PDB file of all heavy atoms in Angstrom:
ATOM      1  N   GLY W  53     -14.330  21.288  -3.360  1.00 89.00           N
ATOM      2  CA  GLY W  53     -14.486  22.700  -3.017  1.00 89.00           C
ATOM      3  C   GLY W  53     -15.775  23.332  -3.492  1.00 89.00           C
ATOM      4  O   GLY W  53     -15.946  24.541  -3.394  1.00 89.00           O
ATOM      5  N   VAL W  54     -16.700  22.547  -4.041  1.00 89.00           N
ATOM      6  CA  VAL W  54     -17.967  23.129  -4.488  1.00 89.00           C
ATOM      7  C   VAL W  54     -18.781  23.603  -3.285  1.00 89.00           C
ATOM      8  O   VAL W  54     -19.314  24.705  -3.275  1.00 89.00           O
ATOM      9  CB  VAL W  54     -18.776  22.114  -5.323  1.00 89.00           C
ATOM     10  CG1 VAL W  54     -20.123  22.686  -5.724  1.00 89.00           C
ATOM     11  CG2 VAL W  54     -17.994  21.698  -6.564  1.00 89.00           C
ATOM     12  N   TYR W  55     -18.858  22.751  -2.243  1.00 89.00           N
ATOM     13  CA  TYR W  55     -19.484  23.174  -0.983  1.00 89.00           C
ATOM     14  C   TYR W  55     -18.411  23.193   0.099  1.00 89.00           C
ATOM     15  O   TYR W  55     -17.623  22.256   0.184  1.00 89.00           O
ATOM     16  CB  TYR W  55     -20.528  22.175  -0.490  1.00 89.00           C
ATOM     17  CG  TYR W  55     -21.632  21.820  -1.434  1.00 89.00           C
ATOM     18  CD1 TYR W  55     -22.038  20.506  -1.572  1.00 89.00           C
ATOM     19  CD2 TYR W  55     -22.303  22.803  -2.151  1.00 89.00           C
ATOM     20  CE1 TYR W  55     -23.064  20.151  -2.422  1.00 89.00           C
ATOM     21  CE2 TYR W  55     -23.336  22.454  -3.000  1.00 89.00           C
ATOM     22  CZ  TYR W  55     -23.713  21.128  -3.144  1.00 89.00           C
ATOM     23  OH  TYR W  55     -24.728  20.784  -3.963  1.00 89.00           O
ATOM     24  N   PRO W  56     -18.411  24.201   0.945  1.00 89.00           N
ATOM     25  CA  PRO W  56     -17.588  24.083   2.142  1.00 89.00           C
ATOM     26  C   PRO W  56     -18.285  23.133   3.108  1.00 89.00           C
ATOM     27  O   PRO W  56     -19.498  23.241   3.297  1.00 89.00           O
ATOM     28  CB  PRO W  56     -17.555  25.513   2.700  1.00 89.00           C
ATOM     29  CG  PRO W  56     -18.731  26.190   2.102  1.00 89.00           C
ATOM     30  CD  PRO W  56     -19.096  25.474   0.839  1.00 89.00           C
ATOM     31  N   PRO W  57     -17.591  22.180   3.696  1.00 89.00           N
ATOM     32  CA  PRO W  57     -18.264  21.260   4.615  1.00 89.00           C
ATOM     33  C   PRO W  57     -18.719  21.997   5.869  1.00 89.00           C
ATOM     34  O   PRO W  57     -18.209  23.078   6.174  1.00 89.00           O
ATOM     35  CB  PRO W  57     -17.180  20.251   4.953  1.00 89.00           C
ATOM     36  CG  PRO W  57     -15.903  20.978   4.746  1.00 89.00           C
ATOM     37  CD  PRO W  57     -16.153  21.940   3.634  1.00 89.00           C
ATOM     38  N   THR W  58     -19.692  21.445   6.577  1.00 89.00           N
ATOM     39  CA  THR W  58     -20.124  22.058   7.829  1.00 89.00           C
ATOM     40  C   THR W  58     -19.063  21.837   8.902  1.00 89.00           C
ATOM     41  O   THR W  58     -18.781  22.696   9.717  1.00 89.00           O
ATOM     42  CB  THR W  58     -21.452  21.434   8.302  1.00 89.00           C
ATOM     43  OG1 THR W  58     -22.318  21.349   7.181  1.00 89.00           O
ATOM     44  CG2 THR W  58     -22.097  22.272   9.377  1.00 89.00           C
ATOM     45  N   ASN W  59     -18.493  20.655   8.863  1.00 88.00           N
ATOM     46  CA  ASN W  59     -17.407  20.359   9.800  1.00 88.00           C
ATOM     47  C   ASN W  59     -16.490  19.348   9.120  1.00 88.00           C
ATOM     48  O   ASN W  59     -16.920  18.552   8.296  1.00 88.00           O
ATOM     49  CB  ASN W  59     -17.966  19.774  11.103  1.00 88.00           C
ATOM     50  CG  ASN W  59     -16.849  19.447  12.078  1.00 88.00           C
ATOM     51  OD1 ASN W  59     -15.952  20.260  12.292  1.00 88.00           O
ATOM     52  ND2 ASN W  59     -16.898  18.247  12.652  1.00 88.00           N
ATOM     53  N   GLY W  60     -15.225  19.386   9.503  1.00 89.00           N
ATOM     54  CA  GLY W  60     -14.331  18.361   9.011  1.00 89.00           C
ATOM     55  C   GLY W  60     -13.191  18.899   8.177  1.00 89.00           C
ATOM     56  O   GLY W  60     -13.056  20.108   8.002  1.00 89.00           O
ATOM     57  N   CYS W  61     -12.391  17.962   7.677  1.00 90.00           N
ATOM     58  CA  CYS W  61     -11.144  18.348   7.056  1.00 90.00           C
ATOM     59  C   CYS W  61     -10.806  17.376   5.929  1.00 90.00           C
ATOM     60  O   CYS W  61     -11.023  16.170   6.048  1.00 90.00           O
ATOM     61  CB  CYS W  61     -10.067  18.321   8.138  1.00 90.00           C
ATOM     62  SG  CYS W  61      -8.404  18.330   7.529  1.00 90.00           S
ATOM     63  N   VAL W  62     -10.337  17.923   4.826  1.00 91.00           N
ATOM     64  CA  VAL W  62      -9.875  17.099   3.714  1.00 91.00           C
ATOM     65  C   VAL W  62      -8.418  17.433   3.467  1.00 91.00           C
ATOM     66  O   VAL W  62      -8.070  18.612   3.359  1.00 91.00           O
ATOM     67  CB  VAL W  62     -10.684  17.378   2.426  1.00 91.00           C
ATOM     68  CG1 VAL W  62     -10.176  16.514   1.278  1.00 91.00           C
ATOM     69  CG2 VAL W  62     -12.166  17.153   2.652  1.00 91.00           C
ATOM     70  N   SER W  63      -7.548  16.407   3.430  1.00 91.00           N
ATOM     71  CA  SER W  63      -6.168  16.724   3.062  1.00 91.00           C
ATOM     72  C   SER W  63      -5.729  15.937   1.841  1.00 91.00           C
ATOM     73  O   SER W  63      -6.221  14.840   1.585  1.00 91.00           O
ATOM     74  CB  SER W  63      -5.206  16.512   4.221  1.00 91.00           C
ATOM     75  OG  SER W  63      -5.685  15.532   5.082  1.00 91.00           O
ATOM     76  N   PHE W  64      -4.843  16.555   1.094  1.00 92.00           N
ATOM     77  CA  PHE W  64      -4.371  16.004  -0.164  1.00 92.00           C
ATOM     78  C   PHE W  64      -2.852  15.989  -0.111  1.00 92.00           C
ATOM     79  O   PHE W  64      -2.226  17.024   0.112  1.00 92.00           O
ATOM     80  CB  PHE W  64      -4.882  16.884  -1.309  1.00 92.00           C
ATOM     81  CG  PHE W  64      -4.430  16.434  -2.672  1.00 92.00           C
ATOM     82  CD1 PHE W  64      -4.748  15.170  -3.145  1.00 92.00           C
ATOM     83  CD2 PHE W  64      -3.711  17.286  -3.491  1.00 92.00           C
ATOM     84  CE1 PHE W  64      -4.341  14.766  -4.401  1.00 92.00           C
ATOM     85  CE2 PHE W  64      -3.301  16.884  -4.745  1.00 92.00           C
ATOM     86  CZ  PHE W  64      -3.610  15.619  -5.200  1.00 92.00           C
ATOM     87  N   ASN W  65      -2.263  14.808  -0.265  1.00 90.00           N
ATOM     88  CA  ASN W  65      -0.811  14.659  -0.133  1.00 90.00           C
ATOM     89  C   ASN W  65      -0.302  15.229   1.194  1.00 90.00           C
ATOM     90  O   ASN W  65       0.738  15.891   1.243  1.00 90.00           O
ATOM     91  CB  ASN W  65      -0.079  15.336  -1.294  1.00 90.00           C
ATOM     92  CG  ASN W  65      -0.271  14.554  -2.585  1.00 90.00           C
ATOM     93  OD1 ASN W  65      -0.513  13.344  -2.546  1.00 90.00           O
ATOM     94  ND2 ASN W  65      -0.193  15.238  -3.705  1.00 90.00           N
ATOM     95  N   GLY W  66      -1.065  15.023   2.242  1.00 86.00           N
ATOM     96  CA  GLY W  66      -0.635  15.462   3.565  1.00 86.00           C
ATOM     97  C   GLY W  66      -0.884  16.919   3.874  1.00 86.00           C
ATOM     98  O   GLY W  66      -0.599  17.391   4.969  1.00 86.00           O
ATOM     99  N   LYS W  67      -1.434  17.665   2.895  1.00 88.00           N
ATOM    100  CA  LYS W  67      -1.674  19.087   3.121  1.00 88.00           C
ATOM    101  C   LYS W  67      -3.173  19.330   3.221  1.00 88.00           C
ATOM    102  O   LYS W  67      -3.947  18.817   2.405  1.00 88.00           O
ATOM    103  CB  LYS W  67      -1.106  19.881   1.939  1.00 88.00           C
ATOM    104  CG  LYS W  67      -0.453  21.185   2.341  1.00 88.00           C
ATOM    105  CD  LYS W  67       0.068  21.902   1.099  1.00 88.00           C
ATOM    106  CE  LYS W  67      -0.746  23.150   0.861  1.00 88.00           C
ATOM    107  NZ  LYS W  67      -0.865  23.559  -0.516  1.00 88.00           N
ATOM    108  N   VAL W  68      -3.590  20.122   4.221  1.00 90.00           N
ATOM    109  CA  VAL W  68      -5.016  20.404   4.379  1.00 90.00           C
ATOM    110  C   VAL W  68      -5.481  21.267   3.205  1.00 90.00           C
ATOM    111  O   VAL W  68      -4.906  22.323   2.941  1.00 90.00           O
ATOM    112  CB  VAL W  68      -5.276  21.134   5.707  1.00 90.00           C
ATOM    113  CG1 VAL W  68      -6.742  21.587   5.781  1.00 90.00           C
ATOM    114  CG2 VAL W  68      -4.951  20.227   6.871  1.00 90.00           C
ATOM    115  N   ILE W  69      -6.511  20.821   2.483  1.00 90.00           N
ATOM    116  CA  ILE W  69      -7.010  21.663   1.387  1.00 90.00           C
ATOM    117  C   ILE W  69      -8.391  22.232   1.693  1.00 90.00           C
ATOM    118  O   ILE W  69      -8.761  23.276   1.174  1.00 90.00           O
ATOM    119  CB  ILE W  69      -7.045  20.893   0.042  1.00 90.00           C
ATOM    120  CG1 ILE W  69      -7.824  19.587   0.149  1.00 90.00           C
ATOM    121  CG2 ILE W  69      -5.632  20.625  -0.443  1.00 90.00           C
ATOM    122  CD1 ILE W  69      -8.107  18.949  -1.192  1.00 90.00           C
ATOM    123  N   VAL W  70      -9.164  21.544   2.503  1.00 90.00           N
ATOM    124  CA  VAL W  70     -10.487  22.043   2.878  1.00 90.00           C
ATOM    125  C   VAL W  70     -10.678  21.770   4.357  1.00 90.00           C
ATOM    126  O   VAL W  70     -10.403  20.669   4.826  1.00 90.00           O
ATOM    127  CB  VAL W  70     -11.612  21.333   2.095  1.00 90.00           C
ATOM    128  CG1 VAL W  70     -12.973  21.776   2.606  1.00 90.00           C
ATOM    129  CG2 VAL W  70     -11.514  21.590   0.608  1.00 90.00           C
ATOM    130  N   GLU W  71     -11.114  22.762   5.100  1.00 89.00           N
ATOM    131  CA  GLU W  71     -11.404  22.532   6.509  1.00 89.00           C
ATOM    132  C   GLU W  71     -12.441  23.536   6.965  1.00 89.00           C
ATOM    133  O   GLU W  71     -12.446  24.681   6.517  1.00 89.00           O
ATOM    134  CB  GLU W  71     -10.129  22.677   7.351  1.00 89.00           C
ATOM    135  CG  GLU W  71     -10.362  22.304   8.804  1.00 89.00           C
ATOM    136  CD  GLU W  71      -9.062  22.051   9.571  1.00 89.00           C
ATOM    137  OE1 GLU W  71      -7.991  22.334   9.013  1.00 89.00           O
ATOM    138  OE2 GLU W  71      -9.146  21.590  10.707  1.00 89.00           O
ATOM    139  N   ASN W  72     -13.338  23.108   7.836  1.00 89.00           N
ATOM    140  CA  ASN W  72     -14.355  24.023   8.333  1.00 89.00           C
ATOM    141  C   ASN W  72     -14.925  23.492   9.638  1.00 89.00           C
ATOM    142  O   ASN W  72     -14.703  22.329  10.000  1.00 89.00           O
ATOM    143  CB  ASN W  72     -15.475  24.187   7.309  1.00 89.00           C
ATOM    144  CG  ASN W  72     -16.254  25.471   7.524  1.00 89.00           C
ATOM    145  OD1 ASN W  72     -15.877  26.309   8.332  1.00 89.00           O
ATOM    146  ND2 ASN W  72     -17.350  25.616   6.797  1.00 89.00           N
ATOM    147  N   PHE W  73     -15.638  24.345  10.359  1.00 88.00           N
ATOM    148  CA  PHE W  73     -16.317  23.928  11.580  1.00 88.00           C
ATOM    149  C   PHE W  73     -17.628  24.693  11.668  1.00 88.00           C
ATOM    150  O   PHE W  73     -17.773  25.741  11.044  1.00 88.00           O
ATOM    151  CB  PHE W  73     -15.436  24.188  12.802  1.00 88.00           C
ATOM    152  CG  PHE W  73     -15.091  25.642  13.004  1.00 88.00           C
ATOM    153  CD1 PHE W  73     -15.828  26.432  13.874  1.00 88.00           C
ATOM    154  CD2 PHE W  73     -14.028  26.219  12.321  1.00 88.00           C
ATOM    155  CE1 PHE W  73     -15.514  27.768  14.056  1.00 88.00           C
ATOM    156  CE2 PHE W  73     -13.717  27.554  12.504  1.00 88.00           C
ATOM    157  CZ  PHE W  73     -14.453  28.325  13.364  1.00 88.00           C
ATOM    158  N   PRO W  74     -18.606  24.169  12.420  1.00 86.00           N
ATOM    159  CA  PRO W  74     -19.895  24.863  12.475  1.00 86.00           C
ATOM    160  C   PRO W  74     -19.773  26.197  13.185  1.00 86.00           C
ATOM    161  O   PRO W  74     -19.175  26.282  14.252  1.00 86.00           O
ATOM    162  CB  PRO W  74     -20.794  23.907  13.265  1.00 86.00           C
ATOM    163  CG  PRO W  74     -19.957  22.779  13.700  1.00 86.00           C
ATOM    164  CD  PRO W  74     -18.590  22.938  13.217  1.00 86.00           C
ATOM    165  N   LYS W  75     -20.310  27.222  12.557  1.00 83.00           N
ATOM    166  CA  LYS W  75     -20.264  28.542  13.195  1.00 83.00           C
ATOM    167  C   LYS W  75     -21.528  29.317  12.858  1.00 83.00           C
ATOM    168  O   LYS W  75     -22.288  28.919  11.985  1.00 83.00           O
ATOM    169  CB  LYS W  75     -19.029  29.305  12.734  1.00 83.00           C
ATOM    170  CG  LYS W  75     -18.870  29.373  11.238  1.00 83.00           C
ATOM    171  CD  LYS W  75     -17.463  29.809  10.884  1.00 83.00           C
ATOM    172  CE  LYS W  75     -17.148  29.399   9.453  1.00 83.00           C
ATOM    173  NZ  LYS W  75     -15.808  29.555   9.056  1.00 83.00           N
ATOM    174  N   GLY W  76     -21.723  30.422  13.521  1.00 80.00           N
ATOM    175  CA  GLY W  76     -22.907  31.248  13.298  1.00 80.00           C
ATOM    176  C   GLY W  76     -24.167  30.478  13.619  1.00 80.00           C
ATOM    177  O   GLY W  76     -24.257  29.783  14.631  1.00 80.00           O
ATOM    178  N   LYS W  77     -25.123  30.557  12.681  1.00 81.00           N
ATOM    179  CA  LYS W  77     -26.400  29.906  12.877  1.00 81.00           C
ATOM    180  C   LYS W  77     -26.224  28.382  12.929  1.00 81.00           C
ATOM    181  O   LYS W  77     -26.912  27.673  13.658  1.00 81.00           O
ATOM    182  CB  LYS W  77     -27.309  30.299  11.706  1.00 81.00           C
ATOM    183  CG  LYS W  77     -28.765  30.000  11.922  1.00 81.00           C
ATOM    184  CD  LYS W  77     -29.572  30.499  10.727  1.00 81.00           C
ATOM    185  CE  LYS W  77     -30.390  29.364  10.156  1.00 81.00           C
ATOM    186  NZ  LYS W  77     -30.653  29.483   8.738  1.00 81.00           N
ATOM    187  N   MET W  78     -25.271  27.901  12.121  1.00 81.00           N
ATOM    188  CA  MET W  78     -25.058  26.464  12.028  1.00 81.00           C
ATOM    189  C   MET W  78     -24.615  25.867  13.357  1.00 81.00           C
ATOM    190  O   MET W  78     -24.853  24.708  13.653  1.00 81.00           O
ATOM    191  CB  MET W  78     -24.017  26.198  10.939  1.00 81.00           C
ATOM    192  CG  MET W  78     -23.877  24.760  10.499  1.00 81.00           C
ATOM    193  SD  MET W  78     -25.424  23.907  10.186  1.00 81.00           S
ATOM    194  CE  MET W  78     -25.798  24.415   8.531  1.00 81.00           C
ATOM    195  N   LYS W  79     -23.989  26.714  14.193  1.00 80.00           N
ATOM    196  CA  LYS W  79     -23.511  26.232  15.482  1.00 80.00           C
ATOM    197  C   LYS W  79     -24.670  25.726  16.340  1.00 80.00           C
ATOM    198  O   LYS W  79     -24.560  24.717  17.033  1.00 80.00           O
ATOM    199  CB  LYS W  79     -22.805  27.393  16.204  1.00 80.00           C
ATOM    200  CG  LYS W  79     -21.799  26.964  17.246  1.00 80.00           C
ATOM    201  CD  LYS W  79     -21.036  28.190  17.701  1.00 80.00           C
ATOM    202  CE  LYS W  79     -20.063  27.851  18.798  1.00 80.00           C
ATOM    203  NZ  LYS W  79     -19.283  29.034  19.186  1.00 80.00           N
ATOM    204  N   LYS W  80     -25.815  26.430  16.228  1.00 80.00           N
ATOM    205  CA  LYS W  80     -26.962  26.070  17.054  1.00 80.00           C
ATOM    206  C   LYS W  80     -27.671  24.851  16.509  1.00 80.00           C
ATOM    207  O   LYS W  80     -28.182  24.029  17.271  1.00 80.00           O
ATOM    208  CB  LYS W  80     -27.957  27.241  17.115  1.00 80.00           C
ATOM    209  CG  LYS W  80     -27.493  28.354  18.033  1.00 80.00           C
ATOM    210  CD  LYS W  80     -28.515  29.478  18.060  1.00 80.00           C
ATOM    211  CE  LYS W  80     -27.806  30.802  18.308  1.00 80.00           C
ATOM    212  NZ  LYS W  80     -28.380  31.903  17.562  1.00 80.00           N
TER     213      LYS W  80
END
Side-chain angles (χ1 to χ4, degrees):
Chain W
V54 177
Y55 305 137
T58 315
N59 179 47
C61 164
V62 180
S63 28
F64 179 59
N65 289 335
K67 218 180 112 210
V68 173
I69 54 169
V70 174
E71 186 164 9
N72 202 8
F73 61 96
K75 52 195 160 189
K77 195 177 125 209
M78 192 46 83
K79 203 171 177 177
K80 284 180 210 143

